Amino acid sequence: MSILEHVKNAPMSRVQIQAVVLCLGMNLLDGFDLLATSFVGPAITREWGLSPSQVGVLLSSGLAGMAVGALFLAPLADRVGRRRLTLSGLAMASVGMLGAAVSQNFGQLLACRLVTGAAVGVMAASLPVLASEYANHRRRGLVVALITTGYGLGAVAAGLATSFLLGPYGWRSVFVFGGVATAALFALGLRFLPESMDYLVACRPRDALTRLNRILVSMGHSRVDEMPQKATVSRKAAVESLFRGPNALRTVLIWIAFTAAMTAFYFASSWTPTLLLKAGMSNQQGINGGVLFSLGGVIGAATLGILVSRIEPRRLTASYFFVAAIALVLFSMTLGSLGGALVVAVLVGFLLNGSVSGINVIIPTLYPAEARATALGMAVAVSRLGAVLAPLLAGFLLDAGWAPGAMFRIFAIPALVGAFATVLLLRGDRVRGNAETSLTAPEVPKGVTA
């Protein structure tokens, strides 16, 4: 048994738990930094006189930067290391947040949001990997689920911070708070976040053996005299396997479902506070709606994690999608009632974030082990298109005169598309299973009941 397998079969040490907690805190700040604009957007709009389409561009800028960071910067983790890239992302996010706090016009704020988004994209790709690599086999699923909830908790924290800071200190104070908190976590990470042992073994950077032994000793394990043998995996073969045989249809359906989930989720998470304000509610009531949406998302992801061990993942995710479409329509009908709208906001967040989590659960069940990471990475990259376009489309529709209620109804369509694609995933496997059974079953003579 290799030293890595020995570590991952043993109980988690203090160093491993500490690394996971730091990753959770960093992911929480990712959610705060990325979605802060959703809560302070109405205040910026009033001060600078922005049009709905400009607000849409502003809300999408962080998501566009996130896509760039995930696609072009995150792969550097295999060259410079998970730890170094994660800390670089924290530093860049802090600079972007503090820059947003002192921006004097729309263009400057947009540039700062792009920088912050790129930093979040880097960490969104590296943190789950780093945390899962420091978890043992027994706790890996729990650790990944905890990291997933951190993003929603960060959105809740952004809403609460806006509630306390916006009135007395203005919208810039929310960005200052996020920037300072991110810088503080950077300092903690610099001191306490270890490098991934999997990275040291797989990529063999300079002084890898010395660094590996230092980590092993800190975790209470013995030193090793030489580096463990590394496994070689062909990325080209993994990519090709996604489009071979029955996987071709699965991959297309996964991309459709994931893009639909991201489209509906990022529309609602970005625009809910502003649309509640446009529907006649106060600024604080709009913020409350956004906070409840995010809180519902945390609960929805956690609940799906519990239910998925009892219900087939594709069936469960399709149900989340379908009920989410109904909830979005219901939300459009309750905008005139404060109590009703806030209750439904929780339900919408619960179902939409649960749908996103469901796709993340489904992907590993559809592909062989050597292709799972590639399948998830490519699906996430493709789905960012929906995340970026959703706030933009909403802004242009508002400019064209669409009412807030109509917006929620139109974005119920992606949820239905996601439900349909997920059902096809389930039915496709059933059809293939039946075909394989019919080919291997013994022939039954005529007149004889099988």
Side-chain angles (χ1 to χ4, degrees):
M1 180 185 294
S2 72
I3 185 61
L4 289 184
E5 282 300 309
H6 177 71
V7 169
K8 292 180 181 182
N9 283 314
M12 289 181 65
S13 66
R14 176 186 58 81
V15 171
Q16 289 169 284
I17 295 171
Q18 181 177 278
V20 169
V21 170
L22 278 171
C23 289
L24 176 60
M26 291 171 186
N27 205 41
L28 189 152
L29 279 178
D30 279 355
F32 185 106
D33 294 349
L34 188 65
L35 290 176
T37 312
S38 302
F39 293 98
V40 301
I44 299 173
T45 300
R46 287 192 298 271
E47 182 174 323
W48 288 354
L50 302 181
S51 67
S53 58
Q54 286 178 307
V55 175
V57 171
L58 183 61
L59 294 173
S60 288
S61 59
L63 299 170
M66 186 178 180
V68 171
L71 286 172
F72 300 109
L73 299 180
L76 293 175
D78 290 332
R79 293 186 180 181
V80 303
R82 316 266 196 263
R83 178 181 184 272
R84 185 177 298 177
L85 191 69
T86 298
L87 292 176
S88 298
L90 281 171
M92 186 163 51
S94 180
V95 169
M97 291 293 283
L98 295 174
V102 298
S103 58
Q104 298 300 308
N105 55 54
F106 179 76
Q108 292 177 7
L109 180 58
L110 192 66
C112 291
R113 295 306 295 161
L114 284 168
V115 170
T116 300
V120 171
V122 166
M123 290 184 285
S126 63
L127 285 174
V129 174
L130 184 57
S132 67
E133 288 175 347
Y134 262 98
N136 62 12
H137 290 318
R138 183 182 178 189
R139 301 295 184 189
R140 179 173 293 175
L142 175 62
V143 165
V144 173
L146 285 174
I147 297 300
T148 302
T149 61
Y151 184 84
L153 291 172
V156 173
L160 294 176
T162 303
S163 297
F164 287 108
L165 296 174
L166 187 62
Y169 306 110
W171 60 266
R172 297 177 188 275
S173 63
V174 178
F175 289 112
V176 171
F177 179 87
V180 171
T182 304
L185 199 53
F186 168 82
L188 287 173
L190 196 61
R191 173 66 179 84
F192 296 109
L193 185 69
E195 182 55 273
S196 161
M197 291 187 296
D198 295 67
Y199 161 74
L200 294 175
V201 171
C203 298
R204 309 294 174 99
R206 188 175 57 181
D207 299 329
L209 180 59
T210 301
R211 295 164 68 183
L212 177 63
N213 278 324
R214 189 183 305 127
I215 295 170
L216 288 172
V217 170
S218 72
M219 294 168 57
H221 296 279
S222 301
R223 293 173 178 269
V224 293
D225 296 326
E226 59 183 12
M227 293 293 289
Q229 185 176 1
K230 63 178 179 179
T232 56
V233 178
S234 170
R235 177 172 171 80
K236 179 181 178 182
V239 172
E240 289 177 350
S241 71
L242 304 187
F243 304 98
R244 188 182 299 124
N247 280 351
L249 179 59
R250 288 172 178 164
T251 298
V252 172
L253 290 174
I254 280 290
W255 286 2
I256 292 172
F258 215 169
T259 302
M262 289 291 191
T263 300
F265 176 78
Y266 278 104
F267 154 72
S269 62
S270 299
W271 275 99
T272 291
T274 298
L275 290 177
L276 289 175
L277 188 63
K278 287 183 174 295
M281 296 186 186
S282 68
N283 190 60
Q284 185 58 52
Q285 289 168 343
I287 293 172
N288 291 343
V291 169
L292 290 172
F293 171 88
S294 300
L295 186 60
V298 173
I299 299 170
T303 303
L304 183 132
I306 295 171
L307 293 177
V308 78
S309 63
R310 299 172 174 83
I311 304 173
E312 205 284 328
R314 286 164 290 184
R315 187 187 304 276
L316 180 62
T317 304
S319 300
Y320 262 75
F321 267 123
F322 182 72
V323 183
I326 298 174
L328 283 165
V329 174
L330 183 61
F331 201 11
S332 72
M333 299 167 61
T334 59
L335 291 180
S337 166
L338 174 62
L342 295 183
V343 169
V344 178
V346 177
L347 180 62
V348 171
F350 180 100
L351 294 163
L352 289 181
N353 199 36
S355 301
V356 173
S357 298
I359 299 298
N360 280 296
V361 171
I362 289 170
I363 290 175
T365 69
L366 299 180
Y367 299 96
E370 63 272 14
R372 286 171 188 165
T374 301
L376 181 58
M378 293 187 69
V380 168
V382 170
S383 70
R384 295 299 174 199
L385 178 65
V388 173
L389 292 180
L392 282 173
L393 177 60
F396 286 119
L397 289 176
L398 282 173
D399 260 353
W402 287 58
M407 303 295 296
F408 287 100
R409 289 193 292 272
I410 197 69
F411 279 94
I413 296 175
L416 289 175
V417 171
F420 184 65
T422 310
V423 168
L424 286 180
L425 276 171
L426 185 62
R427 289 178 61 85
D429 275 4
R430 281 181 178 173
V431 170
R432 279 188 293 274
N434 291 338
E436 291 168 0
T437 301
S438 66
L439 287 172
T440 58
E443 185 178 351
V444 180
K446 293 180 180 181
V448 177
T449 303

